[in-house]
Amino acid sequence: MSLLLLTSGLAQGMILFLAASGLTLVFGVMGVLNFAHGGFFALGAFIVYSLTGGASIPAWQYLLLSVVGAGLVGVVGMAFEVVVFRRIYHLPHLDALLATYAVLLTITGAITQIWGVAARGQPMPSEFRSALRFGDAVVPVYDIALLVIGGLVAVGLWFLLERTTFGRSVRAISADRQMSASLGIDIKVVFTVMLGLGLGLAGLGGALVAPLVQLDAGLAAVFVIQSFAVVIVGGLGSIAGALVAALALGLLNSIMVSIDPALAGFSLYIGMTVVLLIRPQGIFGHRAERP
Amino acid sequence: MSDDAVRDELLRLENVDAWYGTAQALFGVSLSVPRGGVVALLGRNGAGKSTTLRSIMRIEVRTRGEISYAGRDLTRAGTTGVARLGIGYVPEDRRIFGRMTVRENLLLGRHLARGDREPLPLTEILDTFPMLVPLLDRLGGVLSGGEQQLLAVARALVGRPELMLLDEPSEGLAPLTLRQVRTAIQSAHDAFGATVLLAEQNATFALSLAQRVAVIDTGRIVFTGATEELRARPELMSRYLGVESAGAAAGTGS
Amino acid sequence: MMERLRALPGWWRVVAAVVVLVAVMAIVPIFGSGAAVFFWGSVAVTALYAMSVNLLIGVAGIPSFGQAAYFGIGAYAVGVLHHEGLPILLVLLVAVLAAGLAAAVVAALGLRATGLAFSMLTLAFAQALYTLVFQLDTFGGENGIVGLLPESVLGIDLTDGTSLWLFTMTMVAAGIGGLWILQHSPFGRTLMMIREDPARTRALGIQVRRYEIAAFAAAGAAAGLAGALFAYVQGLVVPEYLFWTRSGEPILMSIIGGMRHFFGPVVGSVIYRWSVDVLSDITAAWVLWVGLAFLVIVLAAPGGLLGLPAQIRSWRSRRTIAPPSVTSVESLGDES
Ligand SMILES: Nc1ncnc2c1ncn2[C@@H]1O[C@H](COP(=O)(O)OP(=O)(O)OP(=O)(O)O)[C@@H](O)[C@H]1O
Ligand SMILES: [Mg+2]
């Protein structure tokens, strides 16, 4: 396998991971598979487009604005938690799914309302457009940047969940909501923060994808399904699973495309189907300790 | 004694009805727990002991009637709010976090502590529960039932609760472990000054700890009084608790 | 005696439905423009599609999120076969069988998974098909297949709008009639039992899996018919038909109308398509308003429009009964 194939596959995988990590995080804690996730992903892309004014800006500024945009999306996410999602958690799976689908439609519509129907284009910062040479191989700088950022997010999430008091509360809540409340953990606050974090990550994913795609409201529906595929292959609620699944699916896709360009996009749904048939709880999934 | 108890009442249930969905499980339950006391709530399987504790913790059931703690109405609070008033709850199935270590389980108990109630340092808890020391880095899920029970009591104590609600801590324990649990509850009361409401089927065990007793049957309180008063009424003991002779109930101690 | 009493209102409803159907079939071309005939033709097909989805979600309680697959199979069957010069009825038959068969296979493989996992499996299958037709030139790729203009059926000319409308409505009515018979048969009642309590149904010795597979196949076949008719009405098929949001739409319509009512999806799709038509003239961001309205319905009136009377009644009675609310009989779902 060529180095280019490897890095571009992994970079695609990192985008998938950024899109899916927040989704799996939110599912792990709230137990709701959130269609609206894609809406916040798209929102991240559009917000960064507005922040940069659609201009080509230096790479460091672009990264900074991406983080700012992600933060804004996170804040919008927290507002949504308080106003809408709070009313959804206790619903049966299908109803919850439909309610989040309604939110997805709402956000998609809001994006059209704000940014119009015409597709926008976010120019890639010029530093990212160049490529690094390793012997014979050429690797785009942006692919490397995506790998680094995805890696940082993965490590950061691991640290937050496994090494902090807040993370311990999060794990407790996802294992046993009732007992956590009985111990005095404030479920509502944790939920609001987690949704802010999860949707903020979606926003970051959107911001980093912006230079690679055409920006229109349809982005939301496309990426939420790709995120679904990743979290289902990885195991609902598992961050490590999402990372492994995203990288594997990204790699698989880049290999399949190198064989025949017509195979683009298949790896996700084939992976999803195979995993659901063979191991419905996903690679890293385990059955919940308690509902 | 009884006048003091009324004046210094920590927990009070007055005429409480409770429902699971449409099925009523408690009928006009009234109960009073004096500050600093140990009260046992006795009753056979399905009598409504757990339901009473869940009504206090605002878990699962819907209630009508008065439930107050230190003069505060609990029926308007959520579970988290109730816990943060300083109520440590040990549910009947222990509810240890199986995929977390014993240490993490204990640390989770800290959330209970608020304001002037500083959480207990782990060292202090481990002095009282020395058997947990070698287990600290094990996962909660692999502990034995007895170890889990001790851990659940210890976890509830970490947040320095003023009131402990214990749901059948004796359940499924061998006599030796039972004695450890008993010591733990005793020290929760003596050393840490917690008031205790102990729901039990095991009359022998409960009466050895409690000063006052309430007996519940099919969701109704059928007796309240001092421990000695219940001991003096073998017909109650046998009818509601299946204890055949008063001597058996009085026979244990230390 | 009881049988007859119970049967009577049912028959009245059928008679009423037929009268309404005939009236609509007559009125639309007499008073409507060519564009209106075209519009309502596609609404009718959408209603059949929504009903097929509701057979799964509302009646049997099977959470399918990938019904676009079978709609798309029906549509692409027309796309592929149309230029072969086969009779229309034969093409429709192939479309229905292909969609039903595909659905049966997916259900047979997938129903080992339950709940959310099954929803996701149906979604994955539909998305895989979408990707397939999008990528392959055999299916016209991104641009789809155009020029699907039906010429005649059984010697009747279909080249003008009105005759195509009458043909479409007849086929839609046949599809809906089929679903009605299915839902009111012992088979349909068993499906409702499965929805209410799968474990108990299983304990009665009923092969739940088989019923679910059969329901899935039937819904797939009906969706296939809808897809095929849609291809003829629109005159083209595009990969969009298979995109996952097309699986969401009929669920949305069923919810709006009322999932527990046979004609709920019809009411829902008429309201949905009509309001989208009106809204999209006013604003490009009509999805925003559809989304908000849908959100309110899911959260506040999960029984949909036709479920409103029952919901109001249960509010009333709830208020007069003491604290613990009683689950209303209506919410357990007696059909329409
Ligand atoms: N989650 C529930 N849903 C419905 N009914 C319940 C539920 N939990 C308990 N009940 C019913 O409420 C009544 C009281 O149960 P409860 O658990 O309070 O009894 P208990 O005294 O704790 O018994 P045990 O000693 O067996 O734990 C019983 O009739 C029981 O069947
Ligand atoms: Mg109990």
Side-chain angles (χ1 to χ4, degrees):
Chain A
M1 189 182 350
S2 79
L3 186 61
L4 179 62
L5 207 60
L6 182 73
T7 50
S8 84
L10 290 179
Q12 281 175 45
M14 274 308 180
I15 290 174
L16 289 175
F17 172 66
L18 285 171
S21 58
L23 186 68
T24 208
L25 207 60
V26 166
F27 183 89
V29 186
M30 282 80 154
V32 172
L33 194 53
N34 181 14
F35 268 118
H37 196 78
F40 290 88
F41 182 90
L43 204 56
F46 276 94
I47 286 181
V48 92
Y49 171 82
S50 284
L51 289 176
T52 64
S56 182
I57 56 171
W60 69 269
Q61 280 181 21
Y62 190 80
L63 293 180
L64 188 69
L65 289 178
S66 294
V67 173
V68 172
L72 289 175
V73 175
V75 171
V76 175
M78 288 204 260
F80 254 97
E81 200 279 338
V82 174
V83 178
V84 182
F85 286 109
R86 210 164 262 196
R87 283 159 241 288
I88 294 179
Y89 307 134
H90 66 277
L91 297 178
H93 263 314
L94 184 71
D95 293 359
L97 210 58
L98 290 174
T100 64
Y101 178 53
V103 176
L104 173 70
L105 293 179
T106 307
I107 296 174
T108 311
I111 287 174
T112 309
Q113 177 79 48
I114 299 171
W115 283 279
V117 262
R120 311 291 179 106
Q122 172 65 46
M124 175 81 77
S126 58
E127 295 92 324
F128 285 149
R129 249 176 283 151
S130 57
L132 293 185
R133 203 168 281 280
F134 297 96
D136 293 347
V138 178
V139 178
V141 174
Y142 199 55
D143 282 3
I144 295 172
L146 286 173
L147 284 176
V148 172
I149 294 167
L152 286 176
V153 167
V155 171
L157 282 177
W158 172 83
F159 184 83
L160 177 75
L161 289 175
E162 299 295 328
R163 287 288 176 272
T164 65
T165 310
F166 178 76
R168 191 159 56 221
S169 306
V170 170
R171 282 180 291 137
I173 290 173
S174 55
D176 187 342
R177 208 177 285 183
Q178 219 170 56
M179 191 61 222
S180 303
S182 305
L183 288 170
I185 297 172
D186 197 329
I187 311 257
K188 277 188 185 164
V189 168
V190 172
F191 276 7
T192 308
V193 173
M194 285 311 277
L195 217 68
L197 179 66
L199 297 176
L201 282 171
L204 182 64
L208 294 174
V209 161
L212 299 171
V213 294
Q214 250 196 3
L215 300 185
D216 61 45
L219 220 56
V222 171
F223 272 91
V224 73
I225 292 305
Q226 301 196 352
S227 310
F228 274 20
V230 171
V231 301
I232 280 166
V233 170
L236 282 163
S238 164
I239 297 286
L243 181 63
V244 171
L247 293 179
L249 290 172
L251 215 48
L252 187 61
N253 191 48
S254 102
I255 292 169
M256 285 170 71
V257 170
S258 77
I259 296 168
D260 182 347
L263 292 174
F266 265 116
S267 65
L268 285 175
Y269 306 115
I270 290 173
M272 188 168 165
T273 309
V274 168
V275 164
L276 280 169
L277 286 176
I278 296 173
R279 194 179 153 81
Q281 72 271 38
I283 299 172
F284 280 54
H286 36 59
R287 299 188 185 289
E289 269 182 78
R290 215 168 262 285
Chain B
M1 163 78 199
S2 111
D3 269 1
D4 281 352
V6 171
R7 212 173 302 131
D8 208 8
E9 188 181 51
L10 187 61
L11 177 74
R12 170 189 167 83
L13 279 73
E14 187 69 45
N15 219 354
V16 172
D17 298 334
W19 289 267
Y20 291 100
T22 54
Q24 190 165 0
L26 294 186
F27 301 83
V29 166
S30 298
L31 195 66
S32 167
V33 179
R35 191 183 294 275
V38 177
V39 174
L41 179 63
L42 291 175
R44 57 182 146 199
N45 288 116
K49 304 181 295 292
S50 302
T51 306
T52 306
L53 299 194
R54 285 192 206 120
S55 301
I56 300 166
M57 291 307 297
R58 316 308 302 157
I59 289 173
E60 257 179 88
V61 287
R62 258 179 305 185
T63 67
R64 184 164 61 183
E66 184 200 329
I67 304 174
S68 65
Y69 171 79
R72 263 188 257 219
D73 179 9
L74 295 188
T75 60
R76 290 175 188 284
T79 302
T80 302
V82 170
R84 286 185 171 187
L85 290 174
I87 302 183
Y89 175 48
V90 180
E92 68 186 329
D93 36 6
R94 289 133 198 182
R95 305 283 270 267
I96 294 303
F97 295 97
R99 270 193 281 275
M100 294 197 208
T101 61
V102 168
R103 187 193 309 275
E104 284 184 306
N105 268 282
L106 287 173
L107 290 174
L108 278 169
R110 293 185 163 195
H111 290 271
L112 203 66
R114 290 284 114 180
D116 54 345
R117 278 184 296 109
E118 286 280 311
L120 281 175
L122 277 199
T123 50
E124 207 165 320
I125 276 290
L126 293 173
D127 285 344
T128 316
F129 295 83
M131 53 302 228
L132 291 181
V133 175
L135 306 176
L136 276 176
D137 292 314
R138 276 216 214 142
L139 290 185
V142 305
L143 300 190
S144 74
E147 289 164 341
Q148 288 196 350
Q149 189 67 66
L150 289 165
L151 176 57
V153 176
R155 180 177 66 183
L157 270 177
V158 169
R160 254 192 240 275
E162 259 184 279
L163 173 66
M164 293 268 280
L165 304 178
L166 302 169
D167 199 345
E168 287 195 52
S170 76
E171 196 188 6
L173 300 188
L176 208 63
T177 326
L178 194 60
R179 199 174 308 153
Q180 286 182 325
V181 170
R182 194 183 171 286
T183 316
I185 297 171
Q186 195 79 61
S187 55
H189 179 253
D190 299 346
F192 301 113
T195 304
V196 176
L197 175 58
L198 175 64
E200 266 298 342
Q201 281 192 69
N202 183 338
T204 318
F205 174 75
L207 294 184
S208 74
L209 281 160
Q211 297 125 26
R212 293 187 64 79
V213 194
V215 179
I216 187 169
D217 197 64
T218 60
R220 293 171 181 83
I221 298 286
V222 292
F223 171 87
T224 27
T227 309
E228 301 75 43
E229 284 175 59
L230 182 64
R231 282 219 175 89
R233 306 211 16 210
E235 84 285 0
L236 280 181
M237 300 277 286
S238 78
R239 178 155 165 219
Y240 294 117
L241 307 170
V243 178
E244 281 316 327
S245 81
T252 334
S254 71
Chain C
M1 184 63 188
M2 272 309 289
E3 268 324 299
R4 236 181 263 166
L5 275 179
R6 214 174 278 158
L8 193 61
W11 277 112
W12 270 111
R13 252 181 267 134
V14 173
V15 170
V18 171
V19 169
V20 169
L21 176 75
V22 171
V24 170
M25 281 173 80
I27 288 171
V28 170
I30 294 174
F31 296 101
S33 62
V37 172
F38 170 77
F39 173 75
W40 288 106
S42 82
V43 172
V45 173
T46 315
L48 173 62
Y49 178 34
M51 279 195 138
S52 80
V53 176
N54 199 46
L55 174 66
L56 295 178
I57 296 183
V59 178
I62 305 169
S64 165
F65 235 89
Q67 209 63 4
Y70 317 108
F71 183 86
I73 288 174
Y76 269 89
V78 170
V80 172
L81 296 178
H82 180 74
H83 298 297
E84 307 289 328
L86 300 173
I88 286 189
L89 289 181
L90 183 62
V91 174
L92 286 183
L93 184 67
V94 171
V96 168
L97 290 180
L101 189 67
V105 170
V106 169
L109 288 176
L111 271 168
R112 280 183 308 160
T114 50
L116 193 57
F118 181 74
S119 304
M120 289 302 119
L121 201 59
T122 58
L123 186 74
F125 176 71
Q127 278 299 101
L129 274 192
Y130 165 75
T131 318
L132 188 79
V133 297
F134 193 92
Q135 306 277 12
L136 293 186
D137 291 335
T138 326
F139 300 112
E142 203 173 335
N143 301 318
I145 304 169
V146 295
L148 307 176
L149 303 172
E151 271 152 28
S152 68
V153 61
L154 303 174
I156 305 165
D157 183 69
L158 287 182
T159 45
D160 77 300
T162 304
S163 55
L164 180 58
W165 153 262
L166 292 176
F167 171 69
T168 310
M169 285 300 281
T170 310
M171 295 319 286
V172 167
I176 291 180
L179 287 173
W180 193 90
I181 292 169
L182 200 68
Q183 255 182 65
H184 290 77
S185 68
F187 174 78
R189 278 191 282 278
T190 307
L191 290 183
M192 285 177 230
M193 251 166 75
I194 293 172
R195 176 191 78 207
E196 289 307 326
D197 196 340
R200 203 178 67 193
T201 314
R202 203 166 288 124
L204 291 175
I206 290 168
Q207 302 268 352
V208 169
R209 265 276 283 291
R210 275 190 207 164
Y211 274 85
E212 288 180 333
I213 293 172
F216 212 80
L225 177 60
L229 292 171
F230 199 71
Y232 279 133
V233 170
Q234 299 286 322
L236 64 118
V237 289
V238 284
E240 266 302 288
Y241 290 4
L242 286 144
F243 194 59
W244 75 267
T245 49
R246 289 295 177 110
S247 297
E249 260 176 1
I251 302 178
L252 204 144
M253 296 173 198
S254 302
I255 297 236
I256 292 174
M259 298 216 288
R260 291 287 188 268
H261 296 265
F262 183 76
F263 288 107
V266 177
V267 173
S269 46
V270 169
I271 293 177
Y272 175 81
R273 292 295 306 268
W274 179 77
S275 32
V276 167
D277 198 50
V278 170
L279 274 174
S280 56
D281 277 347
I282 303 170
T283 167
W286 55 271
V287 182
L288 170 63
W289 307 106
V290 170
L292 280 177
F294 183 41
L295 186 62
V296 169
I297 292 174
V298 173
L299 293 180
L305 215 66
L306 296 183
L308 270 182
Q311 193 178 352
I312 291 166
R313 246 179 291 140
S314 87
W315 274 342
R316 286 239 184 92
S317 63
R318 193 172 294 189
R319 216 164 284 159
T320 57
I321 298 175
S325 62
V326 179
T327 314
S328 66
V329 178
E330 289 90 339
S331 72
L332 292 178
D334 196 77
E335 300 305 297
S336 57

